[in-house]
Amino acid sequence: MTDLVLSPLQALATEVRACRACHDLPCGPRPIIQVAEGARILIVGQAPGRRVHDTGIPWNDPSGDRLRVWLGIDRETFYGPDFAIIPTGLCYPGSGPRGDHPPPRHCAPLWFARLRALLPDVALTLLIGRYAQAYHLAGRDARLGVSWHVRHGADYGALWPLPHPSGRNNQWLARHPWFAAEILPVLRERVREVLRCGRRGDHRPS
């Protein structure tokens, strides 16, 4: 019987899921990612919510349902080999009166670059919410705010800023009807294009 040899991405994913750097989290550490050899679209959110923490499945909540509608895809596609999911904070950070706490600042520097380096086929990165945008748009007018970045998302090329699909953002969505009318149709076409041009066989998520 031969030992299973892990790819570099699989080995790193195993290391990430064993991370206990934030041992003082209210529900304990449980890093949640989805990575696959050959993934074409990378989703960078903020941090898992409580339901995601409990199930271990990224975006397995109403926010995820809305996000999939925004992208024009179903659950099977979302959890398939074309998508990688790496939140800015990999574990549920706990919550307070105003919602979930921000992702710990040391989490993304600890893991993101190493994971991203092993995803060379990613053609589109979705930056969801202000924490993801603050980290990944540093030096690119990151302080202009979510609304500005979302309005100009198509101008970023391989990066595409989006608002967070949480129900807490319903007022923002109501105040900015151009998002659904102008941005989402272009985004959906971009997602279809990336998926259509990137079929490279059956690469299973790690």
Side-chain angles (χ1 to χ4, degrees), residues 20-158:
R20 297 297 180 265
C22 299
H23 60 276
D24 57 346
L25 294 172
C27 294
R30 188 181 190 182
I32 296 174
I33 61 170
Q34 174 179 303
V35 290
E37 314 283 352
R40 296 288 293 163
I41 296 176
L42 171 60
I43 296 176
V44 181
Q46 301 192 153
R50 180 58 188 267
R51 179 172 173 180
V52 170
H53 172 88
D54 290 342
T55 64
I57 303 173
W59 293 99
N60 185 35
D61 54 18
S63 293
D65 294 337
R66 175 179 270 176
L67 177 60
R68 287 181 280 274
V69 171
W70 286 357
L71 302 182
I73 59 173
D74 57 21
R75 284 180 65 93
E76 182 179 4
T77 302
F78 187 81
Y79 292 116
D82 288 313
F83 280 82
I85 301 171
I86 307 174
T88 305
L90 303 184
C91 299
Y92 171 56
S95 64
R98 297 186 178 182
D100 290 352
H101 296 314
R105 292 187 177 184
H106 61 270
C107 189
L110 186 63
W111 294 114
F112 184 83
R114 294 176 62 191
L115 288 164
R116 182 64 181 85
L118 297 176
L119 297 168
D121 294 325
V122 166
L124 178 64
T125 298
L126 307 178
L127 303 177
I128 300 177
R130 64 188 181 98
Y131 294 110
Q133 291 161 26
Y135 182 78
H136 293 278
L137 298 179
R140 297 186 59 176
D141 299 322
R143 296 185 180 181
L144 289 173
V146 171
S147 297
W148 192 93
H149 290 301
V150 171
R151 190 72 195 243
H152 296 85
D155 299 334
Y156 281 88

